[in-house]
């Protein structure tokens, strides 16, 4: 474990030597944060789009009123759609979590840089406005609150799909038409 820590420390030191100044490192960190945030937004948007289509298909299939096979149809198709929604939710979590972790790592590196190099030396007057009142650029973690939507969305949809799937089965067992 100590070897891994040494390897990571050496790698970070080598990366620090690539940049000519701390300001370049800060700019690089911010571009990486921006890239990962865009990637996270894209993943979240794609996930929400897929869930929207599944939800529409689920609602449409539950509205089937065919007297001959409607009851069985309302059991099979919506249950399969609910299972698909639950599976896609479970598969979305690792990718969204990975993006969150990378963003958190870059924010931590940025905070360390600002703490060691001094934020006043790195930031011009107009750049310091990026950190709102009450934010501490060297350790503020408000960004985590903004990322919670992306982290929680698959959990919420997964829970809803589990409830809707159970609801379909209960309706079939009770025999509600």
């Amino acid at each position: 474990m100590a070897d891994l820590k040494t390897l990571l420390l050496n790698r970070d030191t080598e990366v620090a030597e690539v940049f000519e100044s701390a300001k370049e490192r800060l700019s690089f960190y911010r571009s990486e944060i921006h890239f990962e945030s865009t990637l996270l937004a894209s993943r979240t948007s794609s996930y929400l789009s897929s869930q929207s289509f599944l939800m529409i298909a689920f609602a449409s299939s539950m509205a089937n009123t065919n007297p001959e096979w409607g009851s069985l149809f309302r059991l099979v198709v919506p249950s399969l759609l609910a299972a698909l929604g639950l599976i896609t939710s479970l598969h979305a979590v690792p990718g969204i979590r990975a993006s969150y972790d990378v963003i958190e790592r870059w924010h931590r590196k940025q905070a360390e840089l600002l703490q060691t190099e001094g934020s006043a030396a790195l930031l011009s007057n107009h750049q310091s406005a990026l950190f709102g009142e009450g934010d501490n650029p060297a350790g503020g973690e408000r960004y985590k609150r903004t990322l919670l939507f992306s982290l929680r969305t698959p959990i919420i949809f997964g829970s809803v799909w589990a409830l809707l799937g159970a609801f379909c089965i209960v309706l079939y067992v009770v025999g509600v038409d």
Side-chain angles (χ1 to χ4, degrees):
M1 187 69 171
D3 292 333
L4 178 63
K5 192 172 185 178
T6 305
L7 178 66
L8 290 174
L9 192 63
N10 288 342
R11 192 187 74 192
D12 286 346
T13 305
E14 289 171 10
V15 169
E17 293 171 0
V18 172
F19 301 105
E20 291 181 19
S21 69
K23 194 166 188 168
E24 282 183 11
R25 280 179 63 193
L26 179 63
S27 180
F28 175 75
Y29 292 168
R30 286 186 175 170
S31 69
E32 288 299 310
I33 291 169
H34 181 264
F35 172 77
E36 289 296 332
S37 297
T38 302
L39 183 62
L40 178 61
S42 176
R43 286 179 178 167
T44 303
S45 179
S46 297
Y47 171 74
L48 286 172
S49 295
S50 71
Q51 296 303 298
S52 296
F53 286 116
L54 280 175
M55 196 61 73
I56 291 168
F58 177 87
S60 297
S61 63
M62 287 297 288
N64 184 354
T65 59
N66 186 312
E68 293 178 25
W69 48 270
S71 181
L72 184 61
F73 183 87
R74 280 193 306 272
L75 169 68
V76 174
V77 174
S79 297
L80 289 174
L81 291 171
L84 182 60
L86 183 59
I87 290 167
T88 57
S89 294
L90 292 174
H91 282 279
V93 171
I96 290 173
R97 183 68 194 178
S99 288
Y100 175 85
D101 290 342
V102 171
I103 292 168
E104 186 175 18
R105 180 169 183 246
W106 285 115
H107 269 283
R108 202 171 32 251
K109 287 181 149 302
Q110 175 181 279
E112 289 169 7
L113 177 66
L114 290 171
Q115 220 169 23
T116 59
E117 298 292 331
S119 59
L122 291 173
L123 302 175
S124 63
N125 288 337
H126 69 281
Q127 286 177 318
S128 61
L130 293 173
F131 301 102
E133 192 173 317
D135 270 341
N136 176 5
E141 294 188 352
R142 283 188 177 182
Y143 70 92
K144 286 183 179 182
R145 284 185 276 174
T146 64
L147 300 176
L148 286 178
F149 176 78
S150 293
L151 283 174
R152 291 178 179 164
T153 299
I155 296 166
I156 293 168
F157 267 101
S159 301
V160 168
W161 283 120
L163 289 172
L164 288 175
F167 179 69
C168 293
I169 294 169
V170 167
L171 283 180
Y172 183 77
V173 170
V174 172
V176 175
D177 277 328

